[in-house]
Amino acid sequence: MGNVISLDSILGVGELKAPAESTPVESSGCSSSSCGSSDGPADMDPAVWDKVKNHPCYSEEAHHYFARMHVAVAPACNIQCNYCNRKYDCSNESRPGVVSEKLTPDQAIKKILAVAQDIPQLSVIGIAGPGDSLAAGAKNTFATFEHLQKKAPDLKLCLSTNGLALPDNVDRIAQYNIDHVTITINMVDPEVGAQIYPWIFHKHKRWTGLDAAKILHEHQMLGLEMLTARGILVKVNSVMIPGVNDEHLLAVNKAVKARGAFLHNIMPLISDPAHGTHFGLTGQRGPTAQELKVVQDACEGGAKLMRHCRQCRADAVGLLGEDRGDEFTADKIEAMGEIGYDDEARRTYREHVEAERSGRHASKAAAQADVQEAVGSAVDPILIAVATKGGERINEHFGHAKEFQIYEVGPQGAKFVGHRRVDQYCEGGSGDDDTLDTVLSAINDCTAVFVAKIGGCPSKSLESAGIEPVDRFAFEYIEESALAYFKDYAERLGQGSIQARAGQDAVIRTGALTAKRA
């Protein structure tokens, strides 16, 4: 089993009463409106930066370098969502609530130790289902974390919940030093919630309709406030459902910011009849790329946004954007026998990454200042797509890319704003025209695509579609390269040699990748 990214690539190439709306609590993250997943050490309290700097979900920068692992020890759930259908033995779907194998706490610990020995980039262990981590008394969840604290104290602990049982469990969360909690909050108006949640199970009773949504909302808001009062960082996930809660998400963003949420992650609805969900079977569509971005942009200035979520499986292993779970199945773990624990490789890796990142912050600032001086504010920002294996570098061949990272680049800098899943264009040395069409539709709102290498045929197809293929920044850093490109783009625009692309949209293919890296 190989590492996700080699060290060489890093060093070289590459019923409860809801609190009043008007009573904000101090954020457990940062008081500045500038603090978000794309920010660095200068943007937040050092203690907060220490918590997030190696967490791939709480720091956009960290997701280029660090891996996460979800252990499927929580199969029960206490609510039903119209977008969810949990599956416990599924290997071919890539979405939350799906796992290949359920684990006992003992099995989970053994699996964690095996992964930790093989993947030095591992920094976070999370419990995200396949049900709710706090349902059914959360027995398995806390048993797993209790043992893990003793076996692997250097790994961060994280859990995800719908929030219904959260107020009853905040003390235990704090007791086990779980300092990252994700709450899925899709509404702050029970009228909206009734369209999303057909029922909840609370106090030995099934509740439906507005009653269910009201109880859930009250518990979510109270739980959020209780967590942030203890200094626990909270990320709020919201599923954007066109025609249901899309416009309402601005109110959600405002409400969670007032209660101290560190991040708000607005995700596209995954809706496919094959998944067997209510929304999938009734034809509820998900948003397009631009619809999602419009809502996310409208929330800027509120709770800060996470835009690099891959909507992972509940048993995901590896970097965001890939999953190595097939390498660590129960039978393979059992065959390993006794598994020891040594954190030396992870410590070495983190030291190398820390050294590399410390220099990056200055180089990003210098590149941004250069663009601001040369371009000013006269040129509108553009989107670019980037083929990357990680390490914040342009280091993937166009034909081998299984996703493209999307950056918005303009006079104010370069920032990560999303990702687009695609099928691999090149298989066995030749390209597939049908696959190329899906790639083009995925990045159709982009002005350029940055790659380490690209063949002549896909280059011509991109140019015909009005997307510029760019390989002159191969193996260089993404943001600095994007800013250098934008400076040149602005000059060419001023000379009239090119025209700006406008009014384009793209197709979002939802779900996380399950492919293994060769």
Side-chain angles (χ1 to χ4, degrees):
M1 302 180 197
N3 293 337
V4 180
I5 306 175
S6 70
L7 295 180
D8 287 343
S9 71
I10 294 299
L11 297 174
V13 180
E15 206 169 355
L16 295 168
K17 194 168 183 177
E21 279 290 331
S22 59
T23 307
V25 288
E26 184 178 354
S27 171
S28 61
C30 61
S31 58
S32 168
S33 64
S34 68
C35 183
S37 72
S38 293
D39 295 313
D43 304 302
M44 64 189 79
D45 183 276
V48 176
W49 173 247
D50 191 57
K51 288 182 179 181
V52 305
K53 66 180 181 180
N54 297 343
H55 196 308
C57 301
Y58 281 69
S59 166
E60 187 274 317
E61 184 178 286
H63 104 279
H64 295 283
Y65 300 99
F66 290 99
R68 84 305 189 216
M69 178 180 179
H70 294 168
V71 289
V73 298
C77 200
N78 47 11
I79 73 172
Q80 177 62 55
C81 309
N82 280 332
Y83 53 76
C84 182
N85 178 25
R86 301 188 306 283
K87 294 184 178 180
Y88 305 143
D89 56 356
C90 180
S91 61
N92 62 353
E93 291 182 18
S94 300
R95 57 181 175 86
V98 168
V99 299
S100 296
E101 301 168 317
K102 292 182 291 184
L103 302 175
T104 66
D106 287 342
Q107 289 173 323
I109 295 299
K110 190 170 184 178
K111 182 175 181 178
I112 292 167
L113 296 179
V115 171
Q117 294 304 98
D118 196 68
I119 303 180
Q121 296 88 344
L122 185 67
S123 63
V124 177
I125 304 300
I127 298 178
D132 187 81
S133 62
L134 301 179
K139 180 180 178 180
N140 283 357
T141 293
F142 290 117
T144 301
F145 285 144
E146 180 180 12
H147 294 313
L148 185 58
Q149 278 188 318
K150 300 172 184 176
K151 297 280 188 177
D154 66 303
L155 295 175
K156 297 181 183 296
L157 307 182
C158 189
L159 66 79
S160 179
T161 177
N162 56 53
L164 181 59
L166 184 54
D168 295 331
N169 286 284
V170 169
D171 288 341
R172 282 205 290 176
I173 290 171
Q175 174 188 341
Y176 290 108
N177 298 316
I178 302 163
D179 52 12
H180 300 80
V181 174
T182 294
I183 314 172
T184 298
I185 301 177
N186 296 313
M187 56 84 197
V188 291
D189 179 352
E191 294 280 356
V192 176
Q195 301 176 62
I196 303 171
Y197 307 103
W199 57 261
I200 68 169
F201 191 79
H202 175 61
K203 290 189 174 181
H204 311 288
K205 177 181 177 180
R206 179 174 291 200
W207 303 75
T208 61
L210 284 174
D211 290 336
K214 183 176 183 293
I215 293 168
L216 179 60
H217 165 62
E218 291 172 349
H219 283 239
Q220 289 175 337
M221 296 298 102
L222 180 59
L224 171 56
E225 288 197 348
M226 291 173 71
L227 288 171
T228 57
R230 285 164 172 78
I232 296 169
L233 297 184
V234 179
K235 175 170 65 72
V236 170
N237 283 353
S238 296
V239 178
M240 178 179 166
I241 311 164
V244 177
N245 73 342
D246 46 348
E247 296 180 358
H248 180 62
L249 288 177
L250 278 74
V252 174
N253 184 270
K254 180 180 179 181
V256 301
K257 179 185 179 182
R259 289 164 175 84
F262 181 72
L263 286 176
H264 189 193
N265 173 31
I266 300 175
M267 311 175 293
L269 170 70
I270 299 176
S271 183
D272 186 329
H275 296 160
T277 67
H278 174 79
F279 280 151
L281 295 172
T282 57
Q284 171 65 53
R285 70 172 181 88
T288 67
Q290 285 303 304
E291 287 173 335
L292 177 63
K293 188 173 185 299
V294 164
V295 171
Q296 291 173 331
D297 289 350
C299 290
E300 289 282 4
K304 301 308 293 185
L305 302 177
M306 172 191 183
R307 301 201 193 211
H308 60 281
C309 178
R310 302 308 199 275
Q311 296 177 272
C312 302
R313 290 166 56 99
D315 57 0
V317 178
L319 292 175
L320 301 191
E322 71 174 4
D323 188 7
R324 296 177 56 186
D326 285 349
E327 299 175 40
F328 302 96
T329 57
D331 57 337
K332 293 177 181 177
I333 300 297
E334 190 61 33
M336 294 179 184
E338 190 69 25
I339 302 173
Y341 187 77
D342 184 354
D343 66 353
E344 182 178 356
R346 277 193 308 288
R347 284 190 286 105
T348 300
Y349 178 80
R350 291 169 186 171
E351 289 170 2
H352 284 305
V353 171
E354 187 73 19
E356 172 144 332
R357 292 168 77 182
S358 64
R360 294 294 322 291
H361 298 132
S363 65
K364 290 178 187 179
Q368 182 176 334
D370 185 41
V371 167
Q372 287 177 329
E373 181 179 354
V375 179
S377 59
V379 182
D380 291 334
I382 60 173
L383 297 181
I384 64 166
V386 181
T388 177
K389 296 178 182 179
E392 293 191 275
R393 294 183 184 267
I394 305 158
N395 54 11
E396 180 67 283
H397 191 296
F398 176 85
H400 299 163
K402 296 183 177 70
E403 77 164 24
F404 290 91
Q405 297 187 1
I406 309 299
Y407 284 76
E408 183 175 79
V409 192
Q412 301 306 311
K415 66 177 181 179
F416 185 103
V417 295
H419 66 98
R420 310 284 168 75
R421 282 188 59 197
V422 297
D423 289 323
Q424 186 173 321
Y425 165 66
C426 186
E427 294 277 5
S430 61
D432 183 280
D433 290 340
D434 291 338
T435 298
L436 183 57
D437 289 341
T438 65
V439 175
L440 293 174
S441 68
I443 61 173
N444 190 49
D445 53 349
C446 295
T447 295
V449 56
F450 285 32
V451 297
K453 191 175 181 180
I454 187 170
C457 289
S459 288
K460 291 178 182 179
S461 296
L462 285 162
E463 290 168 349
S464 296
I467 303 170
E468 182 180 2
V470 179
D471 60 5
R472 66 180 183 270
F473 301 111
F475 304 104
E476 299 294 333
Y477 287 116
I478 295 170
E479 293 187 30
E480 291 89 331
S481 300
L483 288 165
Y485 173 84
F486 183 77
K487 183 179 177 181
D488 175 67
Y489 163 85
E491 183 177 342
R492 289 184 289 151
L493 201 63
Q495 294 170 347
S497 59
I498 60 171
Q499 292 184 340
R501 298 188 84 217
Q504 306 296 325
D505 204 346
V507 176
I508 296 177
R509 180 178 172 184
T510 49
L513 293 172
T514 58
K516 292 181 286 185
R517 180 78 64 195

